[in-house]
Amino acid sequence: MSYDLLVIGSGAAGLSLALRVLEAKPQARIAILAKGPLSEGSTMYAQGGIAAVLDAADTTDAHLADTLTAGGGLCNAETVRFVVDNAKPAIQWLIDNGVLFDREGGDYHLTREGGHSHRRVIHSADATGKAVQTALMERILESGAEVFEHHIAVDLIRERLGGGRLGRCVGAYALDRSSGRVITLPARAVVLATGGASRVYLYSSNPDGSTGDGIAMAWRAGCRVSNMEFSQFHPTCLYHPKAKTFLVTEAVRGEGGHLLRPDGTRFMDDYDPRGELAPRDVVARAIDDVMKRLGCPNVYLDISHKPADFIKSHFPTVYAECLKFGIDMTREPIPVVPAAHYTCGGVLTDLSGRTDVPNLYAIGEVSCTGLHGANRMASNSLLECLVFGAAAATDIAATMESIAPPPVVAAWDESWVTDSDEEVVVAHNWDELRRFMWDYVGIVRSTKRLERAKHRIKLLLSEIAEYYGTFRVTNDLLELRNLAMVADLIVRSALSRRESRGLHYTIDYPDRDAIAPAQNTVLVPKNFTARRQN
C-alpha cells in the first residue's frame, strides 16, 4: 500500500502537521511512524511551555528582539518574524484541539524564562509537553491516520531517474522493532519530524530515541545541514546517582530560583547582569566553570524561599520527582548539573519546511529554519514545531494532488546479510562515542579536543559501515549509525567555526568574529543537487 503522506516522528511537529493536513484533505492516506509508543518522544517531556505574545503589555516586536538577541546574530529575521507572528494562532489551534493551559483568574497564566523580556510563556503547570502530546494523540487516533508504533526509519527512498540521477523522495524503509522485519512505506510526500540528536552526548535530558535519525537520513539522501555546532546544554538537570537526567524546568529560575555554589552563595551575577535569567548557554557555561574551578560534581538550584504551596502548584512534576530521591524543594535546594538538551542546527528548510530534496519536508528539532541561530531561546521550540507544522501542512495539502503517486519501490534486500553474533561491538561503540563527545565536544571546546574526536569518529564510521554491510539491522545498530554520522557533522561544523558564538565556545577562539553579518555553517553532502520543483 502507498500513502499520500508519510510522517516520520510522533511528537508535536509530526502530529500537528498530520492533523492539519487531514483538516484540509480528510481523505488523505497518512502513515505516522513512531519509534516507540506513540507517546514516546521529546514533546512528552517538555516541561516549561510555549512562547507567544498573549499579554496586552507585550509585543511581537519584543518577542522578535529577544529571540534575535539570544540567537547570537545568526537568527534569520524573516523566519523569526514569521514564527512570532503566527504564535498566537498556533496556541489557539491547540486550545481548540483540547489542550488545557493554566489560568490565573480569567486570564491564562504566563511565566517568564531566560532571555525573555516579558511574561509570555503559556503552560500547563510544569508538564506542558505532556498536555500537548496527550491532546494531539487523542485527535490522531480518531483521525483515520495509520500509526506504526515501534518502527524506526532506516533510510529515505529517492526515485531513480535516468543516468544514475536521483529524483524526489518517494518513501522510506522502516524496521519493525517487534518482528525485526524491514518494511517499505511508499508515499507522495515524506515529513521528517524525528527530533534532535542530544543522545550523542553521555548526559542528556532527552528520551533515549533522540539519536539524530532524521538529520542522518536527510544527509544521506542529499540534504544540506546547517549550524550543527550549536548543541544546547540545559543548565539544570537533577543530579542524583539514581536519577536519569531529569530536567528541572527553566521556569524554576524564571519564578525566582537561585543558583548556588556548594557553600550556599549565589554566583550568576558574577557572570552576567541578567543573573539566573541569562540565556541557557551563559548559565550552562557559568555552572561548568564553577564546577571545574571548585572541583565539585554539581551546583544547587534553590527556590525554597518561595511559599511551599506556590512551589507545589507551579512545579508539581519537579516537586514529585525530587521527592522520589529524598529532596524536598520546598525546604532545600536541588542538586543540578548541565546536560545536552537541544539541537539548534539540522536539516536546512525554507518557510514551508521544504528541504533540498523534492517532496521531503523537515519540521521541528530535526530542522534548521533560522529561528534559533546560535542559541535557542527558552520555549521557542514547541512553538517552532506548531508554526512549521502548520506551514508545511498548508504546502503539502496544496500540492498533494499534483504529485504523481510513488513508483513501485524495491523491497528491502536481506539476502546477503546474517544475524550478528557480536552485539557487544555495537554497545561498546555506542558508549565510547557518547563519552568522547561529552569530553571533547561539550560545553567548552578546543581545537585539540575536536581533532581527537574527529579522528575517533572516522574510525567508528568505518567500523559501523562494515558492521552495517554484514549483519541484519537492529534498532541499536541503526541508532549508532545515525549518532556517529551526526557526531561527525557536529565536529566538522565546530572545527570550521573559528570564533565563540552562542552555544559554541572554544578556548582557542574565545571572542566573536568581528566580521558582520555572522555566517551560518552549511555542510553540503556529495550527492547534493539544487532543489527542483515536482
Side-chain angles (χ1 to χ4, degrees):
M1 178 179 178
S2 67
Y3 298 90
D4 295 313
L5 175 64
L6 170 63
V7 180
I8 304 175
S10 61
L15 296 188
S16 64
L17 176 139
L19 288 171
R20 285 183 179 271
V21 170
L22 287 169
E23 288 173 0
K25 299 287 182 181
Q27 302 307 314
R29 291 169 299 170
I30 297 179
I32 298 172
L33 211 63
K35 199 183 218 181
L38 189 60
S39 61
E40 184 65 18
S42 292
T43 296
M44 183 63 86
Y45 298 92
Q47 293 180 10
I50 308 170
V53 174
L54 302 170
D55 182 69
D58 195 6
T59 66
T60 54
D61 284 345
H63 190 178
L64 181 144
D66 291 344
T67 301
L68 294 178
T69 298
L74 273 183
C75 297
N76 182 312
E78 181 186 6
T79 300
V80 179
R81 172 60 70 187
F82 175 73
V83 172
V84 301
D85 283 350
N86 284 282
K88 189 172 182 178
I91 297 298
Q92 187 59 53
W93 184 83
L94 286 180
I95 294 169
D96 293 342
N97 280 276
V99 179
L100 299 177
F101 294 107
D102 286 6
R103 288 183 176 272
E104 190 171 64
D107 299 321
Y108 287 107
H109 180 267
L110 304 176
T111 191
R112 181 182 173 192
E113 297 183 350
H116 291 276
S117 58
H118 292 78
R119 285 182 172 266
R120 65 167 68 98
V121 180
I122 191 171
H123 60 100
S124 181
D126 60 349
T128 306
K130 183 177 181 180
V132 171
Q133 182 73 18
T134 301
L136 295 183
M137 285 193 306
E138 290 176 357
R139 288 291 317 283
I140 210 71
L141 292 173
E142 300 167 351
S143 70
E146 189 169 354
V147 178
F148 292 83
E149 293 185 296
H150 304 286
H151 282 69
I152 177 174
V154 178
D155 262 323
L156 299 167
I157 304 169
R158 292 187 65 177
E159 187 174 21
R160 296 192 175 276
L161 307 175
R165 294 177 300 124
L166 294 175
R168 59 185 174 137
C169 184
V170 292
Y173 293 112
L175 172 69
D176 181 340
R177 296 173 62 187
S178 300
S179 68
R181 184 172 61 93
V182 175
I183 64 172
T184 305
L185 295 167
R188 295 175 191 254
V190 177
V191 175
L192 294 171
T194 51
S198 289
R199 277 290 165 185
V200 76
Y201 290 100
L202 183 61
Y203 301 110
S204 171
S205 65
N206 287 197
D208 291 340
S210 297
T211 50
D213 304 331
I215 297 171
M217 287 190 296
W219 175 259
R220 291 193 291 265
C223 294
R224 292 170 298 166
V225 300
S226 182
N227 292 349
M228 289 298 295
E229 67 270 38
F230 300 118
S231 297
Q232 186 178 72
F233 290 79
H234 196 287
T236 54
C237 284
L238 177 62
Y239 178 77
H240 191 279
K242 295 183 180 179
K244 189 177 181 180
T245 54
F246 174 78
L247 184 151
V248 179
T249 174
E250 184 150 0
V252 173
R253 300 201 315 279
E255 293 295 341
H258 299 154
L259 284 165
L260 309 176
R261 300 181 182 91
D263 65 2
T265 58
R266 295 176 66 183
F267 59 85
M268 273 311 305
D269 287 340
D270 297 338
Y271 291 88
D272 192 280
R274 291 165 290 187
E276 279 81 4
L277 289 177
R280 288 176 178 174
D281 62 315
V282 176
V283 179
R285 279 199 301 274
I287 294 174
D288 183 72
D289 187 61
V290 168
M291 290 168 57
K292 286 177 177 175
R293 285 177 182 273
L294 298 181
C296 55
N298 62 280
V299 296
Y300 293 87
L301 177 60
D302 186 22
I303 197 171
S304 62
H305 51 276
K306 291 281 189 176
D309 289 344
F310 173 89
I311 296 171
K312 293 177 183 179
S313 63
H314 280 71
F315 309 111
T317 304
V318 177
Y319 175 75
E321 188 70 18
C322 288
L323 276 185
K324 291 180 183 178
F325 302 100
I327 303 163
D328 184 348
M329 65 185 289
T330 68
R331 296 174 177 270
E332 59 189 319
I334 306 168
V336 293
V337 292
H341 183 60
Y342 194 87
T343 306
C344 285
V347 184
L348 268 177
T349 74
D350 63 13
L351 291 182
S352 293
R354 294 181 294 185
T355 71
D356 293 320
V357 174
N359 301 341
L360 177 66
Y361 297 75
I363 56 174
E365 193 176 352
V366 68
S367 67
C368 184
T369 65
L371 173 63
H372 305 306
N375 183 16
R376 176 182 73 93
M377 191 169 69
S379 292
N380 270 351
S381 51
L382 283 176
L383 176 61
E384 182 183 39
C385 290
L386 299 167
V387 170
F388 278 91
T394 298
D395 192 74
I396 291 167
T399 59
M400 181 181 293
E401 293 175 0
S402 66
I403 302 172
V408 176
V409 176
W412 184 257
D413 183 7
E414 289 188 331
S415 60
W416 41 274
V417 296
T418 61
D419 290 324
S420 169
D421 58 356
E422 295 183 340
E423 285 293 322
V424 67
V425 174
V426 174
H428 175 79
N429 285 351
W430 179 295
D431 184 64
E432 182 182 357
L433 173 69
R434 294 175 67 203
R435 285 184 181 277
F436 72 64
M437 284 296 290
W438 182 262
D439 291 337
Y440 299 155
V441 199
I443 296 172
V444 177
R445 301 164 177 174
S446 71
T447 302
K448 182 183 290 187
R449 293 174 197 162
L450 292 172
E451 289 287 358
R452 286 174 179 164
K454 179 183 176 182
H455 175 70
R456 187 62 195 118
I457 290 169
K458 182 178 179 180
L459 295 176
L460 271 180
L461 285 170
S462 177
E463 292 175 16
I464 292 166
E466 179 181 358
Y467 199 94
Y468 182 82
T470 304
F471 299 111
R472 287 190 175 87
V473 296
T474 64
N475 182 81
D476 288 351
L477 175 58
L478 292 175
E479 290 187 331
L480 174 64
R481 179 186 183 223
N482 293 332
L483 279 175
M485 180 160 287
V486 168
D488 181 57
L489 297 174
I490 292 172
V491 170
R492 287 167 58 183
S493 299
L495 281 168
S496 71
R497 184 168 294 281
R498 300 192 172 190
E499 64 167 349
S500 290
R501 182 183 295 272
L503 299 166
H504 174 70
Y505 183 83
T506 169
I507 59 175
D508 294 315
Y509 305 96
D511 300 316
R512 277 197 195 184
D513 196 321
I515 298 174
Q519 299 298 307
N520 293 303
T521 303
V522 179
L523 301 181
V524 183
K526 293 180 180 179
N527 58 342
F528 167 75
T529 54
R531 192 181 195 283
R532 295 186 299 275
Q533 297 299 316
N534 301 324

